[in-house]
Amino acid sequence: MPAMNNILSKWVPVAERSRSLALVYSGMYLGSVTGLAFSPFLIHRFGWPSVFYSFGSLGTVWFTVWLSKAHSSPAEDPQLRPAEKKLIVSSCASKEPVKTIPWGLILSKPPVWALIVSHFCHNWGTFILLTWMPTYYNQVLHFNLTESGLFCVLPWLTMAFSANLGGWIADTLVSKGLSVTTVRKIMQSIGFLGPAFFLTQLSHVDSPAMAVLCMACSQGTDAFSQSGLYSNHQDIAPRYSGVLLGLSNTAGVLAGVFGTAATGYILQHGSWDDVFKVSVGLYLVGTAVWNLFSTGEKVVD
């Protein structure tokens, strides 16, 4: 993911940043849908090792194509038309290669810490939804495991659609003259407050269909974060966007580790409502930190 962010900063003009990042991330969402959809069939017909052989083989095919078609920057691509190369190079903020990383400068900037804290708050809720939802569907909604697997696909489909919708909205707002800072704050606020709202509704719904709908809407609004904090790495430090994503995603992964473990502990001593309350609280903390300290302007050159 840091490498992906870094390469996009060299290949994609600022005005197309949100759309490009959303499109790339939607591949991850659609891949999850495909995996969840085909894995049961493969296991049933050919045994569980077939899942690993199949997806491993696809990875090998992708790697072969990547080696022959991918280039670190437009200047290194021999097949790129001169006019297109000139447009990309003149519009992208990241040009010079990075030789040293100014860690002290990076870590001294409040917008960097806003990214790190917000990524932690964001991923806490996301990881809980993605890792514990089959259990929730089974224990609370009383779906069997096969039905749970099918319903787990819905949030990923919703995220793939809404991430691209959010990217289009964000880039349109920027092209119409709204500041990048304002756009990032709007999109990430939706990415925080949307999931928070729909999680609070789960305790009030009385049908499995409405509960699944709340889950899908929660993840759908969550995907607006692709045009918020995930795009912001390239805004504030385009040359070090990979480094920044590495830092913030470390916090995000730690949120997944602690959040998954904490959820198990909470369920032993409390209820699902308590689990959702913790997520909502962190979403609200993330919203406050993001709107107070984030920016869409470059802070590290």
Side-chain angles (χ1 to χ4, degrees):
M1 289 169 66
M4 179 189 74
N5 237 37
N6 195 39
I7 201 169
L8 285 176
S9 71
K10 295 182 174 69
W11 273 93
V12 180
V14 175
E16 301 171 14
R17 182 168 293 162
S18 297
R19 279 175 291 169
S20 67
L21 201 67
L23 183 63
V24 170
Y25 270 89
S26 65
M28 178 174 69
Y29 303 146
L30 293 174
S32 299
V33 170
T34 305
L36 288 167
F38 282 97
S39 292
F41 169 78
L42 291 172
I43 293 170
H44 179 70
R45 290 292 300 272
F46 306 107
W48 65 263
S50 64
V51 174
F52 296 94
Y53 288 125
S54 300
F55 298 155
S57 299
L58 288 173
T60 304
V61 172
W62 168 84
F63 179 63
T64 303
V65 174
W66 180 261
L67 285 179
S68 62
K69 297 295 183 182
H71 299 276
S72 295
S73 68
E76 299 175 26
D77 189 346
Q79 298 180 333
L80 199 63
R81 296 193 305 272
E84 189 175 8
K85 184 180 295 186
K86 182 179 179 181
L87 173 65
I88 296 174
V89 171
S90 63
S91 303
C92 287
S94 180
K95 299 182 178 67
E96 297 299 322
V98 174
K99 296 180 180 179
T100 59
I101 300 172
W103 291 107
L105 179 63
I106 289 173
L107 294 174
S108 69
K109 301 296 183 180
V112 172
W113 285 102
L115 265 178
I116 293 171
V117 173
S118 296
H119 208 146
F120 181 92
C121 296
H122 170 265
N123 275 31
W124 183 285
T126 301
F127 270 95
I128 286 174
L129 285 174
L130 297 181
T131 56
W132 281 94
M133 278 312 94
T135 305
Y136 176 80
Y137 287 147
N138 184 250
Q139 290 184 354
V140 179
L141 306 183
H142 306 297
F143 294 149
N144 63 40
L145 291 178
T146 302
E147 290 172 328
S148 297
L150 291 173
F151 279 111
C152 283
V153 170
L154 291 179
W156 291 105
L157 284 173
T158 308
M159 291 171 81
F161 171 77
S162 60
N164 287 282
L165 174 64
W168 176 80
I169 291 172
D171 285 343
T172 300
L173 292 174
V174 171
S175 67
K176 290 185 178 298
L178 205 61
S179 73
V180 176
T181 297
T182 302
V183 171
R184 296 289 176 252
K185 289 185 176 183
I186 290 173
M187 303 309 288
Q188 189 55 47
S189 293
I190 296 173
F192 278 141
L193 297 178
F197 170 76
F198 287 110
L199 287 181
T200 60
Q201 301 309 299
L202 279 173
S203 59
H204 305 299
V205 300
D206 54 5
S207 72
M210 287 303 297
V212 172
L213 179 62
C214 282
M215 292 292 185
C217 290
S218 175
Q219 289 302 92
T221 50
D222 174 279
F224 275 65
S225 298
Q226 304 302 337
S227 304
L229 73 87
Y230 282 96
S231 296
N232 193 236
H233 303 82
Q234 299 176 46
D235 297 326
I236 65 176
R239 293 183 64 211
Y240 307 101
S241 57
V243 175
L244 253 62
L245 184 58
L247 285 171
S248 70
N249 200 47
T250 298
V253 171
L254 289 175
V257 173
F258 296 134
T260 302
T263 298
Y265 178 83
I266 293 170
L267 289 176
Q268 285 181 330
H269 300 85
S271 66
W272 280 100
D273 282 347
D274 298 322
V275 172
F276 296 140
K277 285 176 183 177
V278 174
S279 296
V280 169
L282 285 172
Y283 279 136
L284 295 178
V285 169
T287 304
V289 170
W290 183 256
N291 282 282
L292 287 172
F293 299 107
S294 69
T295 180
E297 305 302 319
K298 186 191 297 185
V299 298
V300 180
D301 197 356

